[in-house]
Amino acid sequence: MQTKQAITLLSALAQESRLAIYRLLVEHAPDGLVVSAIAERLGVANTTLSFHLKELVHAGLITSRQEGRFIYYTASMAAMDDLIGYLTENCCSATGKSCAPVKDAGQATSSRTQLRSKARTA
């Protein structure tokens, strides 16, 4: 991924409604949702929704497909994977330390809680 493409993806997500749309579509991957379902779940007017969907499609974060008279929108997981890869490509390269992510979200929360407790008692 090139820097300009990363900026395009990040810019598309840097708006509350578009971020909400993308997150909703991630929840419904790989099937996607029809426009009316997106509008209903997020409480966004159809004209506003059309604008935001167009921006997300243009950025490559979502795709659309027509089935009969319905248009389904789906999150492009590959685009997000590429963006995450771009952002973490050189993770910890300057320090030589490991940047491996915590495998369990509960474990990460537990670790943060333990650190806060230690900080309070110190």
Side-chain angles (χ1 to χ4, degrees), residues 102 104-116:
V102 176
D104 178 44
Q107 186 180 10
T109 302
S110 175
S111 298
R112 285 191 296 268
T113 303
Q114 289 173 359
L115 288 172
R116 285 187 199 128

Side-chain angles (χ1 to χ4, degrees), residues 13 22-23 61 64 72 77 98 105 114:
L13 292 172
Y22 185 79
R23 292 187 71 204
L61 285 164
S64 65
Y72 285 80
M77 303 310 288
S98 173
Q114 289 173 359

